């Protein structure tokens, strides 16, 4: 059996006077329900007896009895559901002393609007016994009693003038407020309470929405923190690879230099040995020549002269030098190798970036409700081509009726998302994103100020980013797959050549305030020259975006 809380909501068990769940509910003859205390107070403050809701008047005050059925429901509802009271926290009333006490001032229990005096229990007795005084207006004691009395006529302020938005007495409506729309203060207070209840509901709704926004901001901050940590890890890994590459190249170059130095040392040692050998031989010849120059044996001199007249044969050392330990060419070659190694490492960075962006891939499906009547969508919503004739389909505010465009079903109002589109074999196409509310009827100029962030291809080789003003793009190669990446909070829309892992263009500094949707245009067919479809591709990505 269903519980009470599943059958009734709190709103169905609220008293329209106090705006809280019924306490001892009673029913009026017209069928409306109120707390017994609230209804009695309302009738006590009015000169005629009527229903606070439908204003039906009763000739005499109905006898009120607690509606046991509704009372039981309210009690069961309070037990089963934690009810949030609409009453404001009670503020302790200030202590008001009796104006008639002479010696020891007792605490007042009532203030009389007709007398303009506050009474304790003892001095209030005449107002309970004397017939004339019984008709006086009594209220809970207040210090500023003069504010409840008309300063002009010294009568209780019992009415509210809606024309002048002020409280008045019975004599005021016969004078300055004649023919004005005046109602009992209790009736106007009930109306104001109802309006305050509506205002409070709006305030609470705003509080709820802002609390929700705080949670969204916190979640976005946490997501950004995680993304930043991943990007920092990517940067550290990339620079670590570059440093390792430089250190490795430096070590290799130093090793070559050491080898060259050792080879030069060995060569020098060989040269020195050879030179010392020649010096020894030359010194021997010098000694022989010195001895012959002093000999007196002329016959001996003439006999050996032919063998000593010429210096001994020796190597020509004029052009012989130690080879430089490392030539300029070798240094240049080593630096070139370092440059090539760095280039190889740098080429990994776009790959790291693409893998990071692809981590935000979403599943995009074309929305037939937005498709121009000439467009032909595949059954899975992943391909679109342009036909020769319009299909007979009903128009709607979301459908493009002039430009052959179509949007993705999925809209995004926060975070980051990415998708890829195959554009090969086409001579003309438009891709990007658009805001939810911007016009889809008639001729459309694609630009950020009109709510469109797009790039296009024309005449097979002409690429443009439709910024303000449009930017001509010089691409080294024609992309076959285009990736579209959006960072909602940062206001960035970027386009990538997926295969080349290079950025085509990026819209930055944008400000998004509503949902944005993927935007596609295969452009017109041109009798088959541009018949290839735009195809939304599944994004291949690693489970771990940091994996190199």
């Amino acid at each position: 059996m269903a519980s009470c809380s599943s059958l009734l909501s709190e709103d169905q068990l609220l008293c329209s006077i106090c705006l809280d769940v019924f306490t001892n509910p009673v029913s009026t003859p017209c069928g409306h329900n109120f707390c017994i205390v609230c209804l009695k107070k309302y009738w006590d403050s009015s000169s005629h007896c009527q229903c606070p809701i439908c204003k039906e008047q009763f000739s005499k005050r109905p006898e009120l009895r607690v509606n046991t059925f509704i009372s039981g429901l309210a009690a069961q509802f309070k037990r089963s559901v934690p009810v949030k009271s609409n009453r404001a926290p009670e503020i302790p009333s200030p202590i008001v002393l009796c104006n008639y006490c002479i010696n020891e001032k007792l605490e007042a229990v009532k203030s009389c609007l007709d007398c303009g005096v506050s009474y304790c229990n003892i001095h209030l007795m005449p107002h309970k016994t004397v017939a004339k005084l019984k008709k006086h207006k009594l209220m809970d004691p207040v210090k500023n009693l003069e504010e409840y009395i008309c300063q002009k006529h010294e009568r209780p302020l019992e009415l509210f003038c809606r024309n002048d938005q002020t409280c008045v007495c019975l004599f005021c409506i016969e004078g300055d407020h004649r023919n004005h729309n005046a109602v009992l203060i209790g009736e106007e207070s009930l109306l104001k309470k109802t309006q305050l209840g509506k205002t409070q509901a709006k305030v609470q709704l705003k509080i709820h929405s802002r609390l929700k926004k705080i949670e969204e901001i916190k979640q976005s901050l946490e997501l950004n923190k995680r993304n930043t940590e991943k990007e920092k890890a990517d940067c550290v890994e990339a620079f670590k690879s570059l440093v390792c590459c430089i250190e490795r190249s430096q070590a290799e170059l130093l090793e070559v230099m050491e080898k060259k130095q050792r080879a030069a040392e060995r060569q020098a040692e060989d040269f020195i040995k050879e030179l010392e050998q020649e010096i020894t031989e030359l010194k021997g010849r010098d000694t022989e020549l010195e001895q012959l120059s002093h000999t007196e044996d002329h016959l001996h001199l003439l006999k050996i002269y032919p063998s000593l007249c010429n210096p001994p044969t020796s190597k020509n050392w004029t052009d012989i030098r130690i080879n430089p330990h490392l030539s300029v060419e070798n240094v240049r070659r080593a630096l070139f190798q370092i440059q090539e190694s760095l280039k190889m490492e740098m080429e990994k960075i776009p790959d790291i970036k693409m893998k990071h962006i692809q981590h935000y891939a979403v599943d995009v499906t074309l929305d037939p409700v937005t498709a121009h009547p000439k467009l032909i969508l595949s059954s899975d919503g992943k391909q679109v081509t342009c036909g020769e004739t319009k299909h007979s389909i009903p128009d709607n505010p979301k459908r493009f009726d002039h430009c052959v465009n179509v949007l993705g079903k999925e809209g995004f109002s926060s975070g980051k998302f990415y998708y890829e589109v195959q554009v090969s074999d086409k001579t003309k196409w438009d891709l990007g994103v658009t805001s939810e509310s911007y016009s889809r009827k008639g001729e459309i100029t694609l630009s950020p100020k009109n709510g469109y962030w797009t790039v296009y291809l024309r005449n097979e080789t002409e690429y443009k980013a439709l910024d303000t003003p449009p930017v001509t793009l010089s691409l080294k190669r024609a992309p076959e797959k285009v990736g579209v990446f959006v960072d909602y909070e940062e206001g960035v829309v970027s386009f990538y050549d997926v295969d080349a892992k290079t950025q085509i263009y990026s819209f930055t500094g944008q400000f998004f305030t509503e949902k944005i949707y993927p935007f596609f245009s295969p452009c017109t067919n041109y009798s088959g020259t541009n018949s290839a479809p735009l195809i939304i591709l599944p994004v291949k990505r690693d489970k771990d975006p940091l994996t190199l």
Side-chain angles (χ1 to χ4, degrees):
M1 183 174 179
S3 66
C4 173
S5 61
S6 65
L7 296 173
L8 291 173
S9 67
E10 184 179 345
D11 291 340
Q12 293 173 290
L13 296 172
L14 290 183
C15 170
S16 59
I17 297 177
C18 68
L19 302 177
D20 208 345
V21 177
F22 289 124
T23 301
N24 294 327
V26 294
S27 301
T28 59
C30 56
H32 295 111
N33 302 306
F34 309 90
C35 299
I36 187 170
V37 173
C38 297
L39 188 58
K40 283 183 176 180
K41 283 185 177 180
Y42 176 76
W43 282 343
D44 289 343
S45 64
S46 175
S47 61
H48 47 279
C49 187
Q50 66 178 11
C51 174
I53 295 178
C54 66
K55 306 304 181 184
E56 180 179 340
Q57 295 198 17
F58 312 117
S59 56
K60 63 178 184 178
R61 181 178 291 198
E63 183 180 352
L64 300 176
R65 293 183 179 179
V66 174
N67 188 322
T68 56
F69 176 71
I70 298 177
S71 179
L73 287 177
Q76 186 176 353
F77 188 88
K78 288 178 179 179
R79 288 195 301 271
S80 60
V81 178
V83 179
K84 181 181 178 182
S85 175
N86 288 315
R87 294 191 180 101
E90 293 188 2
I91 301 173
S93 300
I95 296 176
V96 179
L97 300 178
C98 175
N99 297 117
Y100 269 79
C101 291
I102 298 175
N103 295 323
E104 182 183 353
K105 292 280 187 178
L106 298 178
E107 186 177 342
V109 293
K110 290 291 180 182
S111 294
C112 178
L113 293 175
D114 293 271
C115 301
V117 176
S118 296
Y119 299 101
C120 64
N121 266 324
I122 297 173
H123 293 109
L124 184 65
M125 289 303 298
H127 282 76
K128 296 180 178 180
T129 56
V130 179
K132 183 178 180 182
L133 296 180
K134 283 183 180 181
K135 296 179 181 179
H136 285 194
K137 296 286 184 180
L138 297 176
M139 62 179 292
D140 290 335
V142 291
K143 282 189 175 182
N144 53 339
L145 189 59
E146 64 277 2
E147 294 182 7
Y148 294 81
I149 299 173
C150 176
Q151 299 302 307
K152 183 176 182 180
H153 302 106
E154 297 184 350
R155 299 292 298 168
L157 296 172
E158 301 178 78
L159 301 169
F160 182 80
C161 177
R162 288 177 172 170
N163 295 70
D164 297 331
Q165 293 292 299
T166 185
C167 295
V168 296
C169 69
L170 290 172
F171 289 167
C172 290
I173 61 173
E174 299 297 330
D176 296 339
H177 298 271
R178 188 189 303 271
N179 298 325
H180 285 190
N181 181 14
V183 296
L184 290 172
I185 284 180
E187 182 178 344
E188 185 66 21
S189 176
L190 178 61
L191 177 62
K192 290 293 191 287
K193 280 185 177 180
T194 303
Q195 293 173 346
L196 287 174
K198 294 178 180 178
T199 302
Q200 184 182 13
K202 292 179 181 178
V203 170
Q204 291 174 349
L205 183 62
K206 287 186 175 182
I207 292 172
H208 176 72
S209 67
R210 279 149 181 77
L211 289 172
K212 185 178 179 182
K213 179 55 71 174
I214 288 174
E215 286 303 314
E216 289 178 1
I217 292 172
K218 287 181 178 178
Q219 290 175 6
S220 178
L221 180 61
E222 182 61 29
L223 179 61
N224 285 341
K225 183 179 179 181
R226 291 199 300 269
N227 292 337
T228 300
E229 290 302 320
K230 290 176 182 177
E231 290 173 359
K232 284 167 65 178
D234 288 345
C235 291
V236 169
E237 189 65 29
F239 279 98
K240 187 185 295 183
S241 298
L242 294 177
V243 171
C244 288
C245 175
I246 293 172
E247 289 177 347
R248 184 173 61 252
S249 299
Q250 181 189 34
E252 291 173 355
L253 181 58
L254 291 176
E255 185 178 356
V256 170
M257 293 171 70
E258 290 292 335
K259 287 181 179 179
K260 292 282 187 180
Q261 178 63 26
R262 289 195 295 271
E265 290 174 356
R266 288 195 299 270
Q267 187 182 39
E269 290 175 1
D270 293 340
F271 286 160
I272 290 172
K273 286 180 180 179
E274 191 173 350
L275 285 168
E276 287 177 345
Q277 180 64 34
E278 289 189 3
I279 289 171
T280 301
E281 294 176 358
L282 289 172
K283 282 183 176 181
R285 176 64 59 87
D286 181 62
T287 301
E288 291 178 4
L289 292 174
E290 178 65 24
Q291 292 173 352
L292 285 174
S293 65
H294 297 286
T295 185
E296 294 296 330
D297 188 348
H298 304 296
L299 179 62
H300 175 70
L301 174 63
L302 294 174
K303 283 182 179 181
I304 66 172
Y305 175 78
S307 61
L308 297 176
C309 65
N310 294 317
T313 304
S314 61
K315 184 184 293 186
N316 183 5
W317 293 91
T318 305
D319 296 326
I320 293 178
R321 287 175 175 76
I322 299 297
N323 292 330
H325 69 281
L326 193 64
S327 66
V328 174
E329 178 62 25
N330 289 333
V331 173
R332 190 193 67 78
R333 188 181 300 111
L335 292 176
F336 177 76
Q337 289 175 351
I338 293 176
Q339 185 179 8
E340 287 299 306
S341 299
L342 288 176
K343 183 179 179 182
M344 291 175 62
E345 293 298 329
M346 292 294 288
E347 286 174 353
K348 294 180 182 178
I349 294 178
D351 187 50
I352 294 172
K353 186 174 183 180
M354 281 301 299
K355 286 181 180 179
H356 177 69
I357 290 172
Q358 288 171 336
H359 180 65
Y360 298 98
V362 294
D363 184 19
V364 176
T365 306
L366 299 171
D367 186 0
V369 174
T370 65
H372 184 276
K374 272 191 176 183
L375 295 181
I376 303 170
L377 276 58
S378 62
S379 58
D380 62 357
K382 298 296 184 181
Q383 300 187 30
V384 57
T385 55
C386 183
E388 298 290 345
T389 59
K390 288 186 177 182
H391 298 89
S392 180
I393 51 178
D395 192 18
N396 66 76
K398 295 182 178 180
R399 190 181 303 283
F400 291 94
D401 63 355
H402 182 79
C403 301
V404 287
N405 304 332
V406 62
L407 303 184
K409 283 183 181 179
E410 300 77 12
F412 303 89
S413 56
S414 64
K416 303 173 184 178
F417 66 92
Y418 172 82
Y419 60 94
E420 294 177 356
V421 184
Q422 181 175 307
V423 296
S424 55
D425 300 324
K426 293 192 66 64
T427 60
K428 185 177 181 181
W429 50 258
D430 301 338
L431 284 178
V433 295
T434 182
S435 293
E436 181 176 29
S437 65
Y438 280 89
S439 174
R440 302 174 193 176
K441 303 299 182 184
E443 188 71 35
I444 297 172
T445 301
L446 301 180
S447 70
K449 70 177 182 180
N450 292 332
Y452 290 86
W453 294 266
T454 59
V455 296
Y456 78 37
L457 166 67
R458 295 292 184 270
N459 302 321
E460 296 189 51
T461 58
E462 297 175 11
Y463 294 91
K464 273 191 179 181
L466 299 181
D467 208 333
T468 307
V471 178
T472 301
L473 305 175
S474 299
L475 306 184
K476 294 181 179 180
R477 45 164 283 171
E480 295 185 359
K481 301 174 187 175
V482 174
V484 183
F485 173 73
V486 176
D487 187 332
Y488 193 96
E489 281 74 21
E490 290 296 325
V492 173
V493 181
S494 299
F495 299 83
Y496 294 88
D497 182 334
V498 176
D499 295 325
K501 298 180 176 61
T502 56
Q503 188 178 93
I504 296 174
Y505 189 76
S506 190
F507 294 87
T508 59
Q510 307 302 305
F511 184 66
F512 303 125
T513 58
E514 55 185 277
K515 274 190 177 182
I516 53 178
Y517 290 82
F519 170 86
F520 309 84
S521 176
C523 297
T524 49
N525 197 338
Y526 291 111
S527 301
T529 58
N530 189 39
S531 59
L534 289 177
I535 303 174
I536 302 172
L537 299 170
V539 177
K540 298 178 181 179
R541 62 182 182 183
D542 295 332
K543 290 183 180 179
D544 181 4
L546 297 181
T547 302
L548 295 179

